[in-house]
Amino acid sequence: MSTETTLAPSGTGGNGSPGPVRTHRRLPRYGVAALYLGGVVVGALLSALTGFSIALTVVYGVVLGTLAVYLVARRVEGRRKATDRLVTTVVTSAFGIAMVPLVSLVYTVLDNGLGRLDSAFFNSSMLGIVGEGGGAYHAILGTVIITALTAAISVPIGLLTAIYLVEYGTGRLKKAITFLVDVMTGIPSIVAGLFAFALFALFFGPGIRLGIMGAVALAVLMTPVVVRSSEEVLKLVPNELREASYALGVPKWRTILKIVIPTAIGGLGTGITLAVARVIGETAPLLVTTGFVNGTNLDPFSGRMTTLPTFSFYQLTQPGFPPEFGIDRAWTAALVLIILVMALNVVARLISRIFAPKTGR
Amino acid sequence: MTTTSAPPGPPRPTRRLGDRVFAGSATGAGILILLVLAGVAVFLVTEAWPALTANSADLPNGKSLASYVAPLVFGTLVAAVIALLVATPLAVAIALYITYYAPRRLAATMGYVIDLLAAIPSVVYGFWGIAALAPAMVPFYGWAAEHLGFIPLFAGPASTTGKTMLTAGLVLAVMILPIISAISREVFGQAPALHREAALALGATRWEMIRMAVLPYGKSGVIGGAMLGLGRALGETLAVAIVLSASGGITFNLISSSNPSTIAANIALNFPESSGLAVNTLIASGLALFLITLVVNVFARWVVTRRAEFSGAN
Amino acid sequence: MAKRIDVSDLDIYYSNFLAVQGVNISIEPRSITALIGPSGCGKSSFLRSLNRMHEVIPGARVEGKVVIDGQDLYGPDVDPVDVRRQIGMVFQRPNPFPTMSIYDNVVAGVRLNGGRLKKAQLDELVERSLRGANLWNEVKDRLARPGSGLSGGQQQRLCIARAIAVEPEVLLMDEPCSALDPISTLAIEDLMTELKERFTIVIVTHNMQQAARVSESTGFFNLSGVGQPGRLVEFNPTQKIFSNPDEKATEDYISGRFG
Ligand SMILES: Nc1ncnc2c1ncn2[C@@H]1O[C@H](COP(=O)(O)OP(=O)(O)OP(=O)(O)O)[C@@H](O)[C@H]1O
Ligand SMILES: [Mg+2]
């Protein structure tokens, strides 16, 4: 990228132009800084009118400063350059604006969730707990079990489908499957939950709630993600390797198993880990399929099961009495959930780094 | 695979067992996906059927199914449209910033940070919305009701908890921001260097270069990304269920505490305690949601693939 | 164990596009046969149809006969996988398996075909094949390192070692030296001369000197016109092709008066 919008010649300051070729007048850097400073000062005064706040000061400051720079730049540098400056500020602030919710969210969750991040939270369930204490032991186990089941369903189906699409598929069927995988990626999570519910309710009656139902619902969400990412990765395996293997007289299926998949293993692992991260925080489909209990249930084929996201949701919406303890547990569960998802993201990056093709040089 | 798509030419009777098994199971997995999608539709219709055919007096609201679902559809659309209107310009600006403005060394990290927004579970967004965003919006709602009350959107009375349609829409906007910006980033990054350099060589400023060579090229990609984001916003459940105070009917008033719920949030909140026909009614509303998102997503894919086919960028 | 190849009336198609038409050729065992001709005339397609690699491409097919020691390769109950075990191939760009060490690359063919050899036998096979490919001395101390860590010329010889480790009857080489420097090229040419004691070798090359240096017979492929299929114009002893070819087109091509 060019750096033509850097303001004045750096370091020297001053309005003069050190280079022999410069023909345009440009705003010096300190001039821009001064205008923004002015904006912030006026902004502080303005916000003081409605009770001083830092946030408002920054907002007013940026808006006023940008406006001032634009107007001055228009006089000094001309309309085109001024617009360019304006857009640069707008685009940069957009990034800044997006950071606000991220930082605020992380701060809020840490602030509210750290209090109960103790050993009791990980060691005890909610069985017989009214008010203080209690924990998410049962919910964490439930999440682990249901997520593992989900992966056990989705990974083989997703991987095989990706193999079909890349290695075997031709014609109409391939087109149809590609299209439907795309459509499936867009299924709302609650609809996936309703599907699993409808499926089981048809056989076991409408009151049915099981861990496995949650896993089926999540598998509907996870499978297309696995297909998509695996497909991308398998396509990256050079055809030359397949041909080299065929030319050694290796059958196609062994070529796929022993050459294609090992070559792509890092990418496959990364994709699958990210797919797990995507479903591990899903709440809505579990609300309608796995139900909610206070005790520990390790059997996904009988009885209700609590997971971390549903635990968190119910502790917030039905905290019991007095409510503050339930709400604290809810936040801690949310914090644990974020930590889990972030950890999975880090693991995914590690996998792709560790398995990156070695050159050995 | 074995019979349908065999290439023309000499028949190949000998295929190894391993190959047959492997090709068969791969094809089977693909077909299973077809079946699951069909299954979603079939089972939803089956379970929704009692509600579709029931006597309207037996339905949860005692009136017709349509009058039950209509405000939900309305709420769903309003929340999603707010999210879309807020998120799209922001996402496009962020994508431009990351592809063409940010320092090269930091750009990849910045992209990763934005992607992190997509990794956060929706229930956590709900928590954040109710604990941080909603209270922060209350002063604005009060001010808006007072000074902008002549606009129907801000008619008031202002919510004192901040649990409004606008808050819900803003939370959704944050959630779909990374989706739209990821796709926009991709298409902006693919804008042909030739055109970009040609623009710069003509003496264009950076913004003029982007307007001439990047935006036209990325337009349909952005539209497709926005549609995918819309699909996500339509189906988002928990964040809305937590943030929105849903107790009203159809209204364009975005800042009061009586709002229509959304389909997804309504299901999540009412399903666990429902039984009998109420469950069927909720599933019927879920079917409506499925159809709406289906249309949006198919359209989005169509836009995105059409672009891929005609851009010639591979 | 080298075998002779008889090709009669071979037509090669990509879907409906006829790429090569009416090839008749007899390739002698224990010799090097070179195929030359302008780009796009179908040399690679022809070479790949000799071990049924051609049909790996979707929609590709052939008509006609390829007979190896009396057996029709395209016969109704011939398994292409078996054909490829007998007829090895070396590609234009070296393509060692990136996930495997040098050692594993050499034994890949044996292992992937489900062969169970003892460690000692494998060691012996690796040494024999690498020596056969003139690579042993360069890599014997780093057999456990990734094959992709070698230089281009070494990688190509590794691929040759990999191909001869499964002990094929025939070795097909599609421009094996075009990505290599002159020194590595010479090394591989020397290697080919050694290998022809044991194998039937068919090599595609754009390097006329190379064809003249290493081969016994040379086939010249040409296009009769734009959009027309490629044909085998002339097939004769290399000596004759380069000194006194039967066809005018051959002479024009060899003396650079082509097109
Ligand atoms: N995968 C393919 N699909 C369709 N047509 C192909 C394919 N590969 C080659 N062809 C066509 O077949 C003809 C012969 O190609 P081939 O690769 O055999 O030529 P070649 O003699 O090896 O050329 P070169 O010297 O450039 O390698 C060409 O017209 C080419 O366009
Ligand atoms: Mg070729």
Side-chain angles (χ1 to χ4, degrees):
Chain A
M1 265 330 299
S2 88
T3 51
E4 43 139 12
T5 37
T6 26
L7 310 172
S10 54
T12 57
N15 214 348
S17 34
V21 216
R22 178 154 293 139
T23 49
H24 290 289
R25 287 201 293 164
R26 308 193 105 194
L27 271 186
R29 184 167 277 194
Y30 71 80
V32 174
L35 287 172
Y36 269 106
L37 199 67
V40 170
V41 170
V42 177
L45 292 176
L46 268 180
S47 87
L49 289 179
T50 53
F52 182 78
S53 101
I54 301 257
L56 271 186
T57 306
V58 172
V59 172
Y60 286 144
V62 170
V63 172
L64 291 174
T66 308
L67 214 63
V69 169
Y70 176 70
L71 291 175
V72 174
R74 236 188 119 121
R75 299 221 46 167
V76 180
E77 299 176 331
R79 193 182 50 78
R80 293 174 51 211
K81 277 266 186 281
T83 313
D84 192 48
R85 271 184 199 285
L86 183 67
V87 173
T88 306
T89 323
V90 167
V91 164
T92 313
S93 336
F95 185 79
I97 291 172
M99 285 301 96
V100 173
L102 185 64
V103 172
S104 154
L105 185 145
V106 171
Y107 172 79
T108 316
V109 174
L110 281 176
D111 189 34
N112 290 296
L114 277 178
R116 271 303 319 273
L117 199 66
D118 49 26
S119 60
F121 186 81
F122 294 98
N123 288 331
S124 47
S125 71
M126 289 302 294
L127 206 58
I129 302 284
V130 185
E132 205 172 352
Y137 172 75
H138 58 312
I140 292 172
L141 282 181
T143 287
V144 170
I145 292 171
I146 289 181
T147 310
L149 270 176
T150 307
I153 301 172
S154 303
V155 172
I157 296 180
L159 207 54
L160 278 171
T161 306
I163 288 174
Y164 169 78
L165 291 176
V166 177
E167 307 283 344
Y168 289 102
T170 47
R172 278 246 207 58
L173 185 60
K174 176 178 173 178
K175 275 220 177 98
I177 293 177
T178 308
F179 178 74
L180 288 180
V181 166
D182 278 340
V183 169
M184 220 168 147
T185 321
I187 290 188
S189 57
I190 188 90
V191 172
L194 290 180
F195 159 69
F197 170 81
L199 176 66
F200 280 77
L202 220 54
F203 298 108
F204 302 101
I208 185 82
R209 298 283 191 280
L210 296 174
I212 183 71
M213 288 167 66
V216 169
L218 294 186
V220 171
L221 299 171
M222 180 169 166
T223 309
V225 183
V226 174
V227 176
R228 255 301 98 76
S229 65
S230 308
E231 194 189 350
E232 296 297 320
V233 174
L234 290 178
K235 273 191 203 154
L236 289 181
V237 175
N239 235 344
E240 299 171 4
L241 296 182
R242 295 186 180 89
E243 297 210 329
S245 176
Y246 296 150
L248 290 171
V250 181
K252 185 165 185 170
W253 67 282
R254 264 178 186 275
T255 301
I256 295 170
L257 274 184
K258 303 279 174 143
I259 303 291
V260 177
I261 291 184
T263 307
I265 193 76
L268 294 176
T270 303
I272 290 170
T273 313
L274 289 177
V276 169
R278 151 117 207 263
V279 296
I280 206 168
E282 281 294 348
T283 319
L286 300 178
L287 286 179
V288 302
T289 51
T290 61
F292 184 73
V293 279
N294 285 331
T296 310
N297 172 16
L298 297 183
D299 184 356
F301 298 97
S302 112
R304 300 174 169 233
M305 230 171 167
T306 303
T307 59
L308 208 49
T310 47
F311 173 82
S312 167
F313 175 70
Y314 278 116
Q315 290 294 325
L316 185 82
T317 50
Q318 300 166 17
F321 191 83
E324 59 265 26
F325 300 114
I327 291 176
D328 283 349
R329 285 190 292 265
W331 281 102
T332 306
L335 176 58
V336 173
L337 207 52
I338 290 198
I339 294 174
L340 257 176
V341 173
M342 294 301 148
L344 283 169
N345 273 280
V346 171
V347 169
R349 305 207 109 201
L350 284 183
I351 291 179
S352 69
R353 188 160 308 166
I354 292 172
F355 287 98
K358 333 171 187 29
T359 54
R361 293 212 185 164
Chain B
M1 172 65 199
T2 41
T3 53
T4 51
S5 56
R12 283 193 277 156
T14 38
R15 286 190 66 192
R16 289 156 184 273
L17 182 66
D19 262 334
R20 281 206 302 269
V21 170
F22 203 75
S25 47
T27 315
I31 291 175
L32 188 65
I33 298 232
L34 297 181
L35 294 182
V36 166
L37 210 66
V40 171
V42 168
F43 288 116
L44 286 185
V45 171
T46 321
E47 284 291 308
W49 195 250
L52 297 175
T53 53
N55 198 330
S56 48
D58 301 332
L59 289 170
N61 67 349
K63 287 182 259 161
S64 71
L65 187 63
S67 72
Y68 178 80
V69 175
L72 297 176
V73 171
F74 177 81
T76 307
L77 293 178
V78 171
V81 166
I82 295 175
L84 197 62
L85 291 181
V86 175
T88 309
L90 210 53
V92 169
I94 290 170
L96 283 179
Y97 177 73
I98 292 179
T99 34
Y100 293 108
Y101 287 86
R104 285 298 84 192
R105 271 183 314 125
L106 295 182
T109 317
M110 290 173 155
Y112 183 64
V113 168
I114 295 290
D115 288 343
L116 273 188
L117 278 173
I120 294 169
S122 59
V123 64
V124 179
Y125 272 112
F127 279 38
W128 170 74
I130 193 140
L133 184 62
M137 294 298 288
V138 170
F140 169 76
Y141 293 150
W143 178 86
E146 204 171 305
H147 299 280
L148 301 174
F150 58 92
I151 307 173
L153 299 179
F154 301 112
S159 158
T160 52
T161 56
K163 299 172 71 173
T164 67
M165 192 55 102
L166 188 54
T167 309
L170 288 179
V171 174
L172 290 182
V174 178
M175 298 179 73
I176 65 174
L177 187 69
I179 298 176
I180 307 177
S181 100
I183 293 183
S184 310
R185 225 159 71 207
E186 203 171 297
V187 294
F188 291 160
Q190 287 167 355
L194 212 63
H195 296 183
R196 284 190 277 128
E197 280 159 13
L200 288 177
L202 289 175
T205 62
R206 177 150 37 175
W207 166 239
E208 285 161 349
M209 176 275 283
I210 288 173
R211 233 183 39 201
M212 283 159 63
V214 177
L215 292 184
Y217 180 83
K219 200 167 62 188
S220 57
V222 171
I223 294 174
M227 285 290 132
L228 289 182
L230 178 63
R232 174 87 198 271
L234 288 168
E236 182 44 50
T237 313
L238 259 292
V240 180
I242 296 174
V243 163
L244 187 64
S245 144
S247 58
I250 293 179
T251 167
F252 278 104
N253 186 351
L254 302 181
I255 62 169
S256 82
S257 51
S258 79
N259 306 285
S261 189
T262 68
I263 298 177
N266 182 58
I267 298 173
L269 290 174
N270 293 320
F271 195 93
E273 272 80 48
S274 296
S275 61
L277 201 56
V279 168
N280 303 118
T281 313
L282 288 174
I283 291 183
S285 72
L287 189 62
L289 176 62
F290 179 54
L291 295 178
I292 295 173
T293 50
L294 202 63
V295 170
V296 170
N297 279 311
V298 169
F299 181 68
R301 291 292 165 190
W302 180 72
V303 172
V304 172
T305 40
R306 200 182 51 144
R307 169 189 161 272
E309 274 167 23
F310 287 98
S311 71
N314 277 317
Chain C
M1 57 190 224
K3 297 205 168 164
R4 77 178 277 127
I5 308 170
D6 292 293
V7 178
S8 42
D9 298 328
L10 191 71
D11 297 339
I12 304 175
Y13 293 87
Y14 289 96
S15 300
N16 294 322
F17 171 64
L18 178 58
V20 179
Q21 191 178 30
V23 178
N24 288 292
I25 195 171
S26 277
I27 293 169
E28 292 298 319
R30 280 178 236 285
S31 70
I32 299 181
T33 302
L35 303 177
I36 59 172
S39 192
C41 65
K43 305 178 297 293
S44 301
S45 307
F46 173 71
L47 196 71
R48 290 165 62 94
S49 67
L50 293 184
N51 69 341
R52 297 189 65 170
M53 280 296 287
H54 179 62
E55 64 204 61
V56 166
I57 297 164
R61 66 200 162 91
V62 305
E63 282 166 15
K65 261 192 166 161
V66 179
V67 177
I68 294 209
D69 271 11
Q71 190 197 15
D72 183 4
L73 289 192
Y74 288 92
D77 42 33
V78 174
D79 185 343
V81 171
D82 290 332
V83 170
R84 292 178 206 138
R85 274 179 207 168
Q86 290 178 39
I87 306 179
M89 186 157 201
V90 175
F91 297 82
Q92 181 168 1
R93 277 191 16 206
N95 51 5
F97 298 127
T99 50
M100 298 184 186
S101 65
I102 294 173
Y103 186 102
D104 290 337
N105 259 292
V106 176
V107 297
V110 174
R111 274 206 188 134
L112 293 178
N113 285 322
R116 278 182 216 292
L117 295 182
K118 297 216 183 61
K119 176 86 172 83
Q121 285 173 301
L122 282 179
D123 288 348
E124 208 259 335
L125 176 65
V126 168
E127 181 169 349
R128 180 153 39 92
S129 309
L130 284 173
R131 279 191 195 283
N134 276 337
L135 190 60
W136 175 251
N137 288 328
E138 286 158 74
V139 301
K140 63 171 184 268
D141 302 322
R142 44 173 171 161
L143 292 176
R145 306 290 305 279
S148 40
L150 298 173
S151 78
Q154 289 172 327
Q155 288 189 17
Q156 192 63 300
R157 278 179 282 151
L158 178 60
C159 292
I160 294 177
R162 182 175 67 185
I164 61 181
V166 292
E167 319 216 316
E169 326 266 351
V170 179
L171 207 52
L172 308 176
M173 301 179 149
D174 191 352
E175 302 182 40
C177 303
S178 66
L180 305 182
D181 69 300
I183 308 271
S184 311
T185 302
L186 271 184
I188 289 187
E189 285 179 9
D190 289 346
L191 176 58
M192 280 190 278
T193 336
E194 282 170 36
L195 291 175
K196 79 172 179 197
E197 306 297 320
R198 297 194 283 142
F199 305 98
T200 307
I201 296 180
V202 184
I203 171 177
V204 171
T205 180
H206 277 293
N207 181 338
M208 234 71 80
Q209 288 79 29
Q210 184 171 57
R213 274 195 300 265
V214 299
S215 70
E216 272 82 35
S217 329
T218 299
F220 171 58
F221 279 79
N222 202 0
L223 289 164
S224 33
V226 182
Q228 301 279 320
R231 291 169 182 280
L232 178 64
V233 174
E234 178 168 356
F235 181 61
N236 265 322
T238 304
Q239 278 273 300
K240 181 163 169 52
I241 289 259
F242 281 94
S243 56
N244 177 23
D246 288 341
E247 301 286 331
K248 175 91 169 46
T250 316
E251 191 175 353
D252 287 351
Y253 181 74
I254 287 168
S255 53
R257 264 181 275 130
F258 184 84

